[in-house]
Amino acid sequence: MKPTVTLNQGLDVPRLGLGMWQIPDGDAESLVGTALEAGYRGIDTATSYRNERGVGAAVAASGIPRDEIVVTTKLWNSDHGTDEALRAFDASLERLGMDRVDIYLIHWPLPLRDRYLETWRVLEKLHAEGRIRAIGVSNFTAGQLTRLMDRCDIVPAVNQVELHPAFQQAQLREFHAAHGIATQAWSPLGSGQGLLDLPVLGEIARAHGRSPAQVVIRWHLQLGNLVIPRSSAAARIRENFDVFDFSLDEHEMARIASLDTGQRRGPDPDTFDYG
Ligand SMILES: NC(=O)c1ccc[n+]([C@@H]2O[C@H](COP(=O)([O-])OP(=O)(O)OC[C@H]3O[C@@H](n4cnc5c(N)ncnc54)[C@H](OP(=O)(O)O)[C@@H]3O)[C@@H](O)[C@H]2O)c1
């Protein structure tokens, strides 16, 4: 499997990147450094994770050419609106120590405030100016994406959503595929809430001499998802990247498909209005 895919806006991005939620800024530089040494070329941060400085420092210190690393960051909920979004974007760039962001996402749609179209037009402008290489969204429903595509010019490159074996989002994935939007899975391992202990995953892992986390990451890759597992441990960061030399067969994919509960664990994008 090729380690990158080309987004609808033309940017080549790694299928597998490092998630940065809940990583303190003080740990970010060393963990991102570990990931880059292990072969990762995608890092997923956000304004609200408060670790953009550490991420930027690690990218700068890595010695890897800047255009080989894809850094994603996100516009936080309090920054919807034209002036707010422009300010928030500049502040992210300053913290990252960069002159452009590779992927910039609207973190949540906040339909109750209904400012995401206005905010999206700011991202379109920054993209046109070359200050963002690809623009996308996170936590958008098919209905919100449809409205955005009807009313704005650029189709989002990515929609980053909750997606793991217990919440597989088949309909939304189909919608994305039909519109050329990449599906990026957040909490791909179930965010440390026992998902990896499910016996089916253990059985498949043993059959391959792999860990349950590696099996789940491989499942995401074979579905075509972009995937961004997080770990605060260097050994697990390396383990989670070591997934390109085995594959799950149809029967194993079907067994994991049967783990879907249809229940999200995180907030509902239609009602979430925090921050
Ligand atoms: N857009 C959004 O609204 C949104 C929301 C949530 C998350 N995200 C993004 O998605 C990323 C991933 O989601 P997440 O952070 O919720 O969780 P996750 O990646 O699904 O799971 C992380 C948990 O799994 C454990 N883990 C990692 N590798 C492991 C391994 N090989 N074996 C056993 N356990 C392992 C970690 O523990 P250790 O640290 O102890 O290894 C941690 O508790 C985030 O970091 C963030 O970048 C985005």
Side-chain angles (χ1 to χ4, degrees), residues 18-23 44-45 49 74 105 107-108 138-139 160-161 185-192 196 211 213-214 228-233 236-237 239-240:
L18 181 71
M20 292 298 291
W21 183 43
Q22 292 186 326
I23 303 290
D44 183 78
T45 183
Y49 303 169
K74 313 186 190 86
L105 307 179
H107 206 146
W108 288 90
S138 177
N139 298 301
Q160 185 184 112
V161 294
W186 66 249
S187 292
L189 305 176
S191 207
L196 298 176
S211 69
Q214 289 173 317
I228 45 171
R230 160 186 49 115
S231 178
S232 49
R236 284 173 165 176
I237 288 177
E239 173 187 322
N240 293 346

Side-chain angles (χ1 to χ4, degrees), residues 5-262:
V5 291
T6 304
L7 300 178
N8 64 6
Q9 293 164 24
L11 181 67
D12 283 342
V13 300
R15 293 177 192 272
L16 173 55
L18 181 71
M20 292 298 291
W21 183 43
Q22 292 186 326
I23 303 290
D25 201 24
D27 299 340
E29 181 171 354
S30 124
L31 291 172
V32 171
T34 297
L36 293 172
E37 272 172 32
Y40 288 74
R41 290 296 179 266
I43 310 293
D44 183 78
T45 183
T47 301
S48 62
Y49 303 169
R50 298 181 184 280
N51 54 29
E52 289 169 311
R53 284 187 198 283
V55 169
V59 169
S62 70
I64 298 167
R66 177 65 192 86
D67 61 4
E68 289 178 20
I69 302 175
V70 173
V71 175
T72 299
T73 192
K74 313 186 190 86
L75 173 130
W76 183 235
N77 297 347
S78 49
D79 298 322
H80 277 256
T82 305
D83 294 343
E84 294 90 334
L86 286 168
R87 262 201 307 273
F89 178 75
D90 284 343
S92 276
L93 276 189
E94 189 275 321
R95 286 187 295 268
L96 287 163
M98 295 175 182
D99 56 10
R100 63 157 201 235
V101 166
D102 302 305
I103 303 182
Y104 197 50
L105 307 179
I106 298 179
H107 206 146
W108 288 90
L110 308 177
L112 301 177
R113 301 183 204 177
D114 196 17
R115 299 189 80 183
Y116 62 81
L117 297 178
E118 180 187 349
T119 303
W120 184 253
R121 291 185 186 111
V122 174
L123 269 60
E124 289 181 330
K125 176 175 174 289
L126 293 167
H127 179 259
E129 290 170 0
R131 301 181 75 202
I132 309 174
R133 295 167 85 194
I135 56 177
V137 296
S138 177
N139 298 301
F140 274 49
T141 63
Q144 290 153 358
L145 284 168
T146 301
R147 183 163 173 254
L148 184 149
M149 291 187 289
D150 284 349
R151 306 270 291 272
C152 301
D153 295 329
I154 302 182
V155 175
V158 174
N159 187 18
Q160 185 184 112
V161 294
E162 179 180 351
L163 204 174
H164 43 73
F167 188 58
Q168 299 187 11
Q169 300 255 39
Q171 277 187 335
L172 187 58
R173 281 191 280 118
E174 271 177 36
F175 179 90
H176 290 160
H179 292 88
I181 300 168
T183 302
Q184 188 163 48
W186 66 249
S187 292
L189 305 176
S191 207
Q193 296 174 50
L195 179 83
L196 298 176
D197 300 328
L198 290 174
V200 170
L201 298 176
E203 285 166 27
I204 298 173
R206 276 192 296 281
H208 288 274
R210 299 286 170 150
S211 69
Q214 289 173 317
V215 166
V216 171
I217 293 165
R218 184 71 205 182
W219 170 81
H220 282 286
L221 295 174
Q222 288 185 213
L223 280 187
N225 298 337
L226 304 178
V227 57
I228 45 171
R230 160 186 49 115
S231 178
S232 49
R236 284 173 165 176
I237 288 177
R238 287 190 279 269
E239 173 187 322
N240 293 346
F241 199 73
D242 186 15
V243 291
F244 289 99
D245 59 350
F246 76 106
S247 58
L248 304 173
D249 65 24
E250 263 178 47
H251 177 60
E252 291 165 329
M253 291 296 285
R255 290 187 78 194
I256 299 175
S258 75
L259 299 176
D260 195 10
T261 64

